Amino acid sequence: MRLAILSVVLFLSGISALIFETLWLRLSGLAFGNSIWAAALILSSFMAGLALGTAIAASSKLRIRPLKLYAALEFAVAIFGCTIVFALPIIGELLRPLFQALWNHQTILLALRVLFSFALLLIPTTAMGLTLPVVLEDRVLARADFGRALGLLYGFNTLGAVAGALISELCLVKAFGLWGTSLAAGLLNCVAAAIALFLAKRNGLFEDADASGTLTASTTEAPARRFSFAINYSLPWRPLIISFGAGCILLALEVVWFRFLRLYVASSATAFSLMLAIVLAGIGLGGTVSGAFSKKIRQSALLPILLVVAAILTLLCYVLFPVPKLGEGEKNFYLESWKEITLLSCALMFPVAFLSGVLFPAIAARVQESVPSRMNSLGITTLFNTAGAAIGPLLAGFVLLPKLGFQFSLIICAVAYGLLCLAISRKDNWSPKRSTGLALVGLSLLFAASVALFPFQRDEMHFANARKLFESEEQHLVTKIEGTTGTWQLLRRDLFGLPYYYRLMTDGFSMSATNPPNQRYMRLFAYLPLVLHPQPQDALLIAFGCGVTADALAHDVDLERIDIVDISKEAFDLADDYRGAGYSNSLRDPRANAIVQDGRFFLQASPRRYDIITGEPPPPKVLGSVNLYTEQFFSLMGDRLKDGGIATFWLPVYQLNVNEAKAILRAFHDAFPATIIWSSSDEEWIMMGIKGAPHKIDNERIRKLWSFSSTRTDLARIGIEVPEQMAALFVMDGDEIDRITAGTKPLTDFYPKRLGDVTAEDKSIHEFTGRYIRAESAAQRFRRSRLSQHVWPEAMTAGLGPFFTVREMRYRARLTPTNWLAELDIHLRGSRLREPVLETLDTNAFRIAVAKKAAGNLEPPPTEVLPDLIAAALARRDYREAIRLLEDKRSVNASNPDDIFLLTYLYCLNGDVAKAESVATATTDRERPLVKWLWEKLQAEYGFRPPASE
């Protein structure tokens, strides 16, 4: 009964410990940085605290009642755990001056961050490391079999961590925020402490150890010292080395497994929690099974067998990994369903995690045979295991994955299990006279065969599956990097045998691309502030991506410094792999400085201020990105701006629901009272904030970028051919944000779950954005906007109506079928803009450039490039050339019905109605609404006579 109650106590403790761990690591990352090195060392600080607790347990003689001490430890975890959660944001802010002073001494700065994180986490993590060893010293548990008691307590403690991983991410953070979640975790610690005190009071106040090492009650004499530190036993090195190795291998495998699964699974906090829960569930259930069968598992012959089985399963679970089947209409594996994530995680990770859970109590029981004190034996075993667990992730993240890749890393881990089997086994364990000996020999041969017959090309199948969606869109692999932060695949789409655009994938997610729609908003990140700032000199770009925004910044001749910060070195390494497609490597610009650093920590710790800060950030729902969209992050951007400086940031509203979009808008506007939202003819919104009083820009400055050929050409190919078009990107200002977000709470660091994980399309978002794209209302909001009227010269804002109309037309055409020929007629005869004409004909300036390069001086041009050359001619209003090219298509029987409609229209537009009537006789589907509209229009305007009905 007592063992069962203590199992429940440790279950509660496990829930709390996992919740606190996730909160501490999350907030430590915000305070001290989330770069790969900083994150790894902060995690090491956490593990070091646990190791210190186990080291104390390994070297102490306990003279106080164990359960009273345990209760004190739980209270300490609760008090210090909550205090750290509340204090970390304040500490990070107080340390900013020190970080800024040491910015040019990065090694010292990194060491200080590790030191501060270790000092903050020292007391609660040390207490956590002590809890299980202290409980095992309970007098009543001394009568129970050590292996059984440890297995059950260890198993239930780990199963509590499973519950903590799920409850925290799925419920508590969303309902109560980080602070409320920490209080809930602290409450669980207090409940566990109260139960322990209740049990302790029923059995006296103090305990003494008898000669045999068991504990007896004492109520008559208080010891002079409640702790004594001494190691009066010899270390059983072989099982301790196994404990170290098992911890190292499992934590290394966890990193490798997660890297592999991210090729298939959504990169979200919920998915990560589910995968972590499966690993912990395997360990916890393994521990309980080990406790139930402790005497059998403790046999010296079984430990080598368990290790070699772990080696085999490490390989087999990967080789037999159940690649999910795509449903009808599905083209990629970006799995978000918790059922699918759980299934894949169980298939890959659960068996080995289960064996790891079985192994630890069994190893501790072996150690206890040489170390009589239960607390000491468990303490020293856990110390070695924790030390290995601290090294494993570092080894996997910084050595195995970047050097060998995930597949060979799995093989190395499997071989390491095999080596542990050899290290723990004795000669008689291999004797064929024993059944266990035969089993060990047979399993070892099976493992050797598994390695020899391993399908070493299997990883290429998984990489191909990750890019399956884009390969179906004719994009092929250029290069691949398995780096410290993820798996990077650079894809390229060719057109007419030439590079058209690139796509950068991280794991199974498309992180960035240089396709024309993306080029538009990514370049506007730079051009909007460049136009609206009177004298920009210093610019900061957060997140390099494919380098499109950096390329736009490099086009400006006035900028003197361009700092580019990205958390991943691999993003910079790939910059030279982009070829053609109107792209240049901005890192070669002498003004550019590439900095590998967490962008948020850079804003916090760098002393430099900028005229422009912009970014090409990951989407907000990608794991770890939410804190790039919070009020605190936007405030950091504002703090690093000079007076009058301008910040721009991405808001992909189509990836959000309405409430999520409003929460981010509210957060941005709270940080920047002077806010304007911009958008082209899509749902890629751009948030722009101005620090302090905005500048009044004169007409000459506004038009400056159009006076230089490089920026004029670059702006034209993203559809900004005249300055008025940029003004007509207006969506709303701060006053409108105040109106629509009344009652909406901002997205903050402490309430990250105001942004959910689901990326499924929300149809209501289109209704929300559509209201702001309507030309008439958009023009009215622009005229009413005090900020817009202050910034833009009055002479330019008077005639913006037609440009708002063009934007709305292109937006509607993306969502619903339209009469393309009617739109083309409006664009051709209503303005001199080129890009709307190209878009109506399903092409763009980037594609036209590739088509012209492919055509060269060939006459006639290749048939495949004719549609683009026709569109280019129409964009120039060269109707004769367009007619000639259309006739070339007809001459080789390459025309389609739309070509006939267009040719009929152009002949009339060019004054040759008779020829139009002749071409119209080739029309096949004469009942089509577009045909009826066309013939009625031409008949009314040009006297066109439709062909007689057949």
Side-chain angles (χ1 to χ4, degrees), residues 673-722:
T675 294
I676 300 179
I677 309 300
W678 310 91
S679 177
S680 184
S681 55
D682 50 34
E683 293 173 338
E684 310 278 7
W685 285 12
I686 301 171
M687 302 180 291
M688 187 183 83
I690 304 173
K691 182 177 181 179
H695 297 284
K696 179 70 175 179
I697 309 299
D698 59 33
N699 195 50
E700 181 180 356
R701 173 60 198 175
I702 285 284
R703 298 184 182 277
K704 184 174 182 179
L705 290 182
W706 283 267
S707 64
F708 294 98
S709 60
S710 61
T711 48
R712 181 177 63 250
T713 302
D714 201 36
L715 282 161
R717 64 179 181 163
I718 62 171
I720 311 298
E721 301 172 52
V722 293

Side-chain angles (χ1 to χ4, degrees), residues 15-27:
I15 296 175
S16 172
L18 200 286
I19 292 175
F20 272 131
E21 179 185 354
T22 57
L23 293 177
W24 294 338
L25 295 181
R26 183 198 292 258
L27 290 170

Side-chain angles (χ1 to χ4, degrees), residues 99 259 308 408 465 501 513 524 534 576 597 619 755 764 808 813 819 831 846 849 916 950:
F99 291 162
R259 174 70 63 84
V308 76
F408 274 99
N465 284 340
Y501 65 80
L524 284 172
D576 280 327
Q597 183 57 267
L755 187 68
S764 64
E808 182 183 7
N819 184 333
S831 77
F846 296 92
E950 295 179 354

Side-chain angles (χ1 to χ4, degrees), residues 659-680:
N659 290 331
E660 291 168 343
K662 289 181 178 180
I664 296 176
L665 287 170
R666 181 73 264 165
F668 190 85
H669 186 39
D670 284 349
F672 290 100
T675 294
I676 300 179
I677 309 300
W678 310 91
S679 177
S680 184

Side-chain angles (χ1 to χ4, degrees), residues 234-247 298 300 303 307 359-371 377 380-385 420 423-426:
S234 59
L235 296 178
W237 285 107
R238 291 177 71 180
L240 290 179
I241 290 172
I242 301 306
S243 180
F244 175 89
R298 193 163 46 194
S300 61
L303 279 179
L307 287 165
L359 277 168
F360 178 76
I363 295 170
R366 286 282 296 275
V367 172
Q368 209 263 334
E369 294 173 1
S370 304
V371 182
S377 62
I380 194 66
T381 306
T382 309
L383 174 61
F384 275 76
N385 189 260
L420 290 184
I424 196 65
S425 62
R426 299 193 299 263

